Amino acid sequence: MVLPAWTEDAAHFPDPQHRVWLRRRLSMFGVPLVFVLYNPSKAGHERDDATARRGIGFANAVGASDLVFVNAFTGIATDPDDLAAMDDPVGHLADDALEAAAEFARRRGGVMVAAWGAPKGRASTRRLALDRFEHILSLGLPLHVLRMTASGFPEHPLRLPADLRPVPWMVGADAPPADPAISAPIPR
């Protein structure tokens, strides 16, 4: 796979309503840490939001070289129902971004962490999210998790303990261990 040129950018917005890639270069050493989140909010080329700052903390804690955010939905919104009301909440480059992020991590020995959390919003919004999450799982990406929610979704990193480390997500198997003492460190 040839990686798109935008994987070298700090952020890629194919239009004002969608962000498909957010990258922070942290160190010359280490491997990338990629998070697959629900959807982008306000972080951009030079601006970090709370999720970006928290991701940088996780990435620094494991000695990552880069932090990359891609999303299940590329539509920019802070409310799930507003996202679902968009003409194209997924965005035409969403799957390309997921596959590019997986390849970016693979080539550099990094890890891709599913962290989209539980579906939120009205019933129709939650159904849209469930369908999208199922589609992502069908792509066969090499996903890890930090911890699973009680309802079986990969938890969003914003409010997780800083000492958690990614563990492989065996989709359909029991949830991976939530105890950081038995969670595997990021591969070096």
Side-chain angles (χ1 to χ4, degrees), residues 11 24 28-29 38 170 183:
R24 297 295 183 254
M28 290 176 31
F29 306 103
Y38 196 92
M170 304 305 177
S183 294

Side-chain angles (χ1 to χ4, degrees), residues 120-165:
K120 303 171 230 29
R122 293 187 295 265
S124 60
T125 301
R126 292 191 312 271
R127 180 74 250 160
L128 178 69
L130 287 171
D131 290 346
R132 181 66 183 146
F133 300 158
E134 287 174 16
H135 173 75
I136 291 169
L137 294 176
S138 78
L139 296 175
L141 302 172
L143 295 172
H144 290 66
V145 297
L146 293 172
R147 191 169 72 187
M148 301 297 281
T149 67
S151 56
F153 295 96
E155 282 198 61
H156 190 283
L158 192 57
R159 292 180 182 84
L160 289 178
D163 59 355
L164 292 178
R165 297 296 177 260

Side-chain angles (χ1 to χ4, degrees), residues 6-188:
W6 46 258
T7 60
E8 292 301 318
D9 297 339
H12 181 64
F13 297 82
D15 60 63
Q17 289 80 38
H18 296 86
R19 186 191 77 212
V20 299
W21 182 265
L22 184 69
R23 178 181 180 190
R24 297 295 183 254
R25 294 172 191 210
L26 305 173
S27 173
M28 290 176 31
F29 306 103
V31 298
L33 178 62
V34 175
F35 279 106
V36 182
L37 301 172
Y38 196 92
N39 75 293
S41 59
K42 302 298 182 191
H45 290 280
E46 297 177 9
R47 180 181 172 191
D48 289 330
D49 60 10
T51 298
R53 288 187 296 274
R54 186 69 172 143
I56 289 168
F58 273 110
N60 282 330
V62 298
S65 60
D66 299 86
L67 171 67
V68 174
F69 287 124
V70 291
N71 296 277
F73 299 92
T74 65
I76 299 169
T78 55
D79 179 89
D81 293 324
D82 292 344
L83 175 71
M86 294 177 76
D87 288 338
D88 185 10
V90 173
H92 72 281
L93 291 176
D95 284 355
D96 292 344
L98 291 167
E99 291 171 0
E103 182 65 11
F104 180 86
R106 186 195 66 74
R107 287 184 186 180
R108 293 165 175 82
V111 173
M112 184 175 219
V113 178
W116 49 72
K120 303 171 230 29
R122 293 187 295 265
S124 60
T125 301
R126 292 191 312 271
R127 180 74 250 160
L128 178 69
L130 287 171
D131 290 346
R132 181 66 183 146
F133 300 158
E134 287 174 16
H135 173 75
I136 291 169
L137 294 176
S138 78
L139 296 175
L141 302 172
L143 295 172
H144 290 66
V145 297
L146 293 172
R147 191 169 72 187
M148 301 297 281
T149 67
S151 56
F153 295 96
E155 282 198 61
H156 190 283
L158 192 57
R159 292 180 182 84
L160 289 178
D163 59 355
L164 292 178
R165 297 296 177 260
V167 295
W169 185 11
M170 304 305 177
V171 177
D174 291 335
D179 182 351
I182 57 175
S183 294
I186 192 168
R188 297 243 182 238

